[in-house]
Amino acid sequence: MPYALRARRAVRETVSGLPREFWWLWTSTLVNRLGAFVATFMALYLTVDRGYSATYAGLVASLHGLGGVISSLGGGVMTDRLGRRPTLLIAQASTAASVALLGFVRDPVSIAGVAFLVGMASNASRPAVQAMMADIVRPEDRIRAFSLNYWAINLGFAVSSMAAGFIAEVSYRAGFLIEAGMTMLCAILVFLRLPESKPVETPVTAGVRGDSVSLRTVLRDGRFMSVVGLSFLVALIFQQGSVGLPVAMGEAGFTPAEYGMAIAVNGVLIVVLQIPVTRFIEHRDPRRLLVVSSVLAGYGFALTAFAGSVGVIAMTVCVWTLAEIVNAPTQTGLVVRLSPVRGRGRYQGMYTMSWSVAALVAPLLSGFVIDRFGAEWLWGLCAVVGTAAGAGYAVLMRQVPGEDKVAEPSVGARQQPEVGAG
């Protein structure tokens, strides 16, 4: 069979069989990421354009992460109580307003405060997106759906990263306003096209299943909280692509456009490889995938210590991007398997919080290490953390039952989205 024919068949099999609601959610994700400029150039904006130190840039990014920590749990509770759709609308409208404001504030304290609000608003939507996806997609299709959603994230990221570097050289404020406009477009799309997918309570489940799942329930779930802890370590590594790497490149004399081109490799590779890699890993041992991807991420960033040109930096991005392609859908699928249906919002919120805490810690850590010891020490630390995360997954996954042994609850667990809710 010719290669082109095989490729078309692979794409068709990857995208077929998913519900219409999934594709509207996927479109919303793509639009959002096409306008995601601020996360890409925030560190450069503060250190190069505004003249602040790497430590201050780290502090602002950490406040952004702190906002995300708070809203991850709040967004999870809102997702379970108010529903997926209202939570998305509130989060996206708030994000648009706060990002636009961030483009106009100039005082250091004001910048830090608004960055905190942006972190709160932007992270509140993540538990709702993940819970809605788990609601509307069949269990056997979830790895594929999460991979396609991640593909959309990075297709948008590849475009926005390259654009961000050039926009930053003309006007940083334009980047803030473009992101605000694209995020508001996402809110409009959700309002017009996405129905509510929250499972409908029945007389059998009302007051039983929903009330039994609280944040305390999540915290007492030792196996799940171990996943959250390991997710934090992995997230700590991947955060360096948007925190440690731009600062280190800036101090080494690289321009914003050069950083944008290097980091865009991450998004481009995911766009090219996510679908074929998903087909490769879909039915493979998740334990091995999580161990290998964690170690590969750590050592991929460690290679940056030996990179002296944009081309070599782009090669290191290729290494840890492959780890990201494997890790992201595998880990998200594991979280869904361990989450009770009526507690999906809270469980997804706790999982999202691991990335938010990493977004809080990583800037402080990277800023401190770069200022005090140099970037080489930061890249070495990534290797240590990746090794620790891989060992943790190797131990934890022995206690996780196979997917065929994790049954979906049969009563009220998977309701069709409400007709006409959009």
Side-chain angles (χ1 to χ4, degrees):
M1 184 183 295
Y3 175 78
L5 218 66
R6 290 201 304 270
R8 284 199 296 270
R9 179 180 176 183
V11 171
R12 184 171 61 251
E13 290 177 353
T14 301
V15 303
S16 64
L18 295 170
R20 181 184 60 184
E21 293 81 8
F22 166 80
W23 290 111
W24 283 118
L25 188 60
W26 182 91
T27 303
S28 173
T29 298
L30 177 61
V31 172
N32 183 273
R33 295 306 298 176
L34 283 171
F37 301 116
V38 174
T40 303
F41 62 59
M42 189 64 181
L44 290 170
Y45 168 65
L46 294 173
T47 56
V48 177
D49 186 68
R50 306 303 301 170
Y52 296 116
S53 67
T55 301
Y56 174 76
L59 173 63
V60 172
S62 292
L63 286 171
H64 181 278
L66 177 60
V69 171
I70 296 171
S71 67
S72 295
L73 296 179
V77 173
M78 287 173 62
T79 297
D80 282 340
R81 290 187 176 179
L82 298 181
R84 285 62 162 144
R85 187 169 177 267
T87 302
L88 280 173
L89 289 171
I90 293 170
Q92 290 173 343
S94 301
T95 301
S98 56
V99 167
L101 179 61
L102 188 59
F104 290 91
V105 293
R106 289 292 178 265
D107 178 71
V109 176
S110 299
I111 291 173
V114 176
F116 172 76
L117 295 178
V118 171
M120 284 192 67
S122 59
N123 252 45
S125 64
R126 293 183 181 180
V129 169
Q130 293 167 341
M132 179 176 278
M133 202 168 297
D135 293 339
I136 63 181
V137 175
R138 296 178 301 177
E140 60 268 28
D141 293 332
R142 283 179 187 152
I143 293 294
R144 187 158 54 100
F146 288 133
S147 293
L148 286 168
N149 191 65
Y150 202 65
W151 185 82
I153 289 172
N154 286 279
L155 175 61
F157 179 71
V159 175
S160 65
S161 294
M162 295 188 69
F166 294 103
I167 290 173
E169 293 188 344
V170 177
S171 170
Y172 281 97
R173 180 176 292 175
F176 289 104
L177 294 178
I178 292 172
E179 176 163 347
M182 297 289 274
T183 307
M184 185 58 71
L185 181 59
C186 288
I188 294 171
L189 192 62
V190 168
F191 179 76
L192 294 177
R193 294 295 182 182
L194 272 177
E196 179 57 67
S197 67
K198 180 182 175 182
V200 179
E201 289 190 351
T202 67
V204 175
T205 61
V208 179
R209 185 91 181 159
D211 292 343
S212 65
V213 180
S214 64
L215 288 177
R216 184 175 297 179
T217 306
V218 183
L219 291 170
R220 288 178 175 175
D221 190 338
R223 184 172 58 185
F224 179 78
M225 290 305 298
S226 297
V227 172
V228 171
L230 293 171
S231 170
F232 164 74
L233 294 180
V234 173
L236 200 62
I237 298 171
F238 286 126
Q239 283 289 331
Q240 300 310 320
S242 58
V243 177
L245 186 60
V247 173
M249 288 184 68
E251 290 196 348
F254 293 101
T255 67
E258 287 173 324
Y259 166 69
M261 293 175 65
I263 198 62
V265 172
N266 172 257
V268 170
L269 274 183
I270 292 176
V271 170
V272 173
L273 297 179
Q274 187 72 64
I275 290 177
V277 170
T278 296
R279 289 175 59 82
F280 178 77
I281 70 173
E282 193 169 4
H283 302 294
R284 295 185 182 272
D285 181 10
R287 175 189 174 190
R288 184 173 300 174
L289 295 174
L290 289 169
V291 171
V292 171
S293 62
S294 299
V295 174
L296 191 62
Y299 284 87
F301 274 98
L303 290 173
T304 312
F306 306 99
S309 67
V310 175
V312 179
I313 291 174
M315 291 178 63
T316 68
V317 173
C318 292
V319 176
W320 55 260
T321 295
L322 182 60
E324 188 178 357
I325 291 171
V326 174
N327 185 273
T330 306
Q331 188 161 250
T332 307
L334 175 62
V335 170
V336 172
R337 284 168 55 191
L338 297 178
S339 306
V341 172
R342 294 198 174 277
R344 274 181 183 150
R346 290 174 173 85
Y347 270 72
Q348 292 289 353
M350 187 64 70
Y351 168 64
T352 301
M353 192 190 72
S354 67
W355 285 80
S356 301
V357 173
L360 170 66
V361 174
L364 290 175
L365 176 65
S366 59
F368 174 79
V369 172
I370 289 173
D371 282 346
R372 182 66 64 90
F373 304 106
E376 292 79 7
W377 280 83
L378 177 64
W379 309 132
L381 187 59
C382 286
V384 173
V385 174
T387 303
Y393 277 119
V395 174
L396 172 70
M397 293 299 288
R398 294 175 183 172
Q399 307 169 16
V400 177
E403 190 166 3
D404 58 334
K405 298 179 182 178
V406 184
E408 289 281 309
S410 58
V411 180
R414 286 185 48 80
Q415 301 290 337
Q416 293 298 320
E418 298 172 5
V419 178

